[in-house]
Amino acid sequence: MICCLIEKYGVVPKYAMPETAVSSNTKEMRDYMTEKLRGYACELRRGHQNGKSVEELRGEKDRMMKEIYNILCTCLGQPPKQFDFEVTAKDGRFVRACGLTPQEFYKKYIGLDLADYVSLIHAPTEDKPFHKSYTVRFLGNVKEGREVRYLNLPIEELKRAAVAQMQDGTPVWFGCDVGKRSSREDGVMDLDIFRLQDVLGVEFTMTKAERLDYGQSQMTHAMVFVGVNLGEDGKPNRWRVENSWGEDRGKKGFFVMSDAWFDAYMYQVVVHKKYLTEEEREEYEREPKVLEPWDPMGALA
């Protein structure tokens, strides 16, 4: 989703659109926006029932979207259409570019081709065979943007691609069920962290597929892998995670994830397509199966 936003709108340096109190604490804005959007849905459906034409309803929708834009500008500030960029490079060279648009800034100074990155998921449920591509109905956030697409692979293939990208010096974005068997204070994600079987005297026996099918687990949070420890056999046994909850969580914002936790509650990684095999790239490009909006693989995007 962020790829679609960047490809359409570009990005700006932070000074060109500074943080606000709301941008760092979005809950109230999100709640009010949700209330307004649901209210708009009521208005449009009521208008349709009362015989308003499609043209009239689309006119009302345009007015509603302007109101939403005004709310966002009030809370976050108005996005700049152009800005001046000045910086001293690491080699001491002074750089100045005036009147840049956000799209021009991204292309000139970042230049990362976001189309080169693909989403790999691990969903071992009967309705999602491995080595098939999937999308989720209504999940996109930009009308002109490309659809959300996943390639479902065995968990070892996600690990292989993630390790390869980090070995080349690039972090790996991932999606997981962060609240399960983890301690925010200690920064540990491990299946045995609380020894629940000893404390409660019961076993928890659901498989990963069963947890997905019964709504016991789904993707709830995105973080970044910045390191991995490989054993003598070359296989990962723990992962270094950088979170976004601030330095007062975990070890100055960093967590450690056991490989067993990866197996149980990791669902998605984003990697450069060069880390896929030729067969996997072909599988990713095939016509995707469309999942329903409530599918657990659509919980995070």
Side-chain angles (χ1 to χ4, degrees):
M1 286 186 171
I2 194 173
C3 295
C4 291
L5 291 172
I6 292 173
E7 287 168 350
K8 182 175 182 179
Y9 297 108
V11 297
V12 300
K14 200 171 190 177
Y15 69 80
M17 189 176 180
E19 294 277 1
T20 69
V22 178
S23 68
S24 299
N25 186 12
T26 59
K27 181 181 183 305
E28 288 182 283
M29 179 188 72
R30 186 181 70 240
D31 291 346
Y32 294 142
M33 291 270 290
T34 300
E35 183 174 349
K36 284 300 299 179
L37 289 168
R38 287 172 174 161
Y40 292 149
C42 291
E43 289 182 45
L44 293 171
R45 290 190 171 110
R46 188 164 52 244
H48 176 69
Q49 291 169 354
N50 292 335
K52 287 189 176 181
S53 67
V54 172
E55 289 73 19
E56 289 176 305
L57 294 173
R58 285 178 175 164
E60 291 190 13
K61 181 181 176 182
D62 288 341
R63 182 260 306 170
M64 294 169 179
M65 295 312 297
K66 289 177 182 177
E67 291 179 356
I68 289 294
Y69 180 78
N70 287 337
I71 292 173
L72 290 169
C73 288
T74 300
C75 294
L76 305 175
Q78 186 171 7
K81 294 182 178 180
Q82 290 184 322
F83 62 94
D84 296 337
F85 179 57
E86 296 181 349
V87 67
T88 300
K90 291 182 179 180
D91 59 6
R93 180 172 48 89
F94 180 70
V95 176
R96 174 186 289 149
C98 299
L100 287 174
T101 67
Q103 295 94 333
E104 289 169 344
F105 174 76
Y106 183 83
K107 292 177 182 177
K108 186 172 183 178
Y109 293 104
I110 301 174
L112 194 65
D113 188 350
L114 298 173
D116 286 338
Y117 288 82
V118 297
S119 290
L120 310 180
I121 60 170
H122 180 247
T125 51
E126 289 187 7
D127 64 325
K128 301 181 187 69
F130 290 140
H131 301 285
K132 303 288 185 182
S133 64
Y134 300 88
T135 188
V136 182
R137 195 184 311 276
F138 305 135
L139 189 58
N141 64 331
V142 173
K143 183 175 178 59
E144 305 88 348
R146 48 195 163 97
E147 64 183 358
V148 171
R149 183 177 294 200
Y150 311 125
L151 176 62
N152 194 21
L153 293 174
I155 196 72
E156 296 304 323
E157 299 307 304
L158 270 68
K159 295 179 183 180
R160 172 187 55 78
V163 169
Q165 182 160 300
M166 281 190 286
Q167 286 178 325
D168 284 344
T170 302
V172 176
W173 184 102
F174 70 89
C176 68
D177 193 351
V178 70
K180 300 293 194 298
R181 310 294 196 271
S182 64
S183 171
R184 297 187 179 196
E185 291 73 22
D186 299 314
V188 175
M189 309 165 80
D190 183 73
L191 300 184
D192 296 324
I193 187 171
F194 299 124
R195 299 182 65 87
L196 295 174
Q197 290 86 341
D198 295 339
V199 173
L200 302 177
V202 297
E203 296 286 335
F204 294 87
T205 60
M206 294 180 75
T207 66
K208 188 173 188 178
E210 290 169 340
R211 288 193 293 269
L212 287 170
D213 283 339
Y214 283 81
Q216 176 58 27
S217 183
Q218 64 178 9
M219 291 189 285
T220 59
H221 188 51
M223 295 180 281
V224 178
F225 286 128
V226 293
V228 59
N229 190 75
L230 303 179
E232 293 183 0
D233 58 0
K235 295 182 179 180
N237 50 39
R238 61 183 182 273
W239 303 75
R240 181 169 171 80
V241 174
E242 184 174 2
N243 203 350
S244 58
W245 292 340
E247 292 192 356
D248 59 337
R249 300 297 174 91
K251 302 298 181 182
K252 294 187 176 181
F254 289 88
F255 286 54
V256 61
M257 176 194 298
S258 71
D259 195 56
W261 198 98
F262 189 117
D263 291 341
Y265 294 110
M266 267 289 304
Y267 293 110
Q268 181 182 10
V269 299
V270 172
V271 296
H272 195 285
K273 61 185 179 183
K274 68 183 178 181
Y275 300 110
L276 275 61
T277 65
E278 183 177 348
E279 292 78 11
E280 289 168 347
R281 287 194 290 270
E282 292 176 356
E283 292 162 354
Y284 177 84
E285 295 297 338
R286 290 173 188 160
E287 186 69 22
K289 176 183 176 180
V290 180
L291 305 175
E292 295 300 334
W294 48 83
D295 192 277
M297 289 301 105
L300 188 62

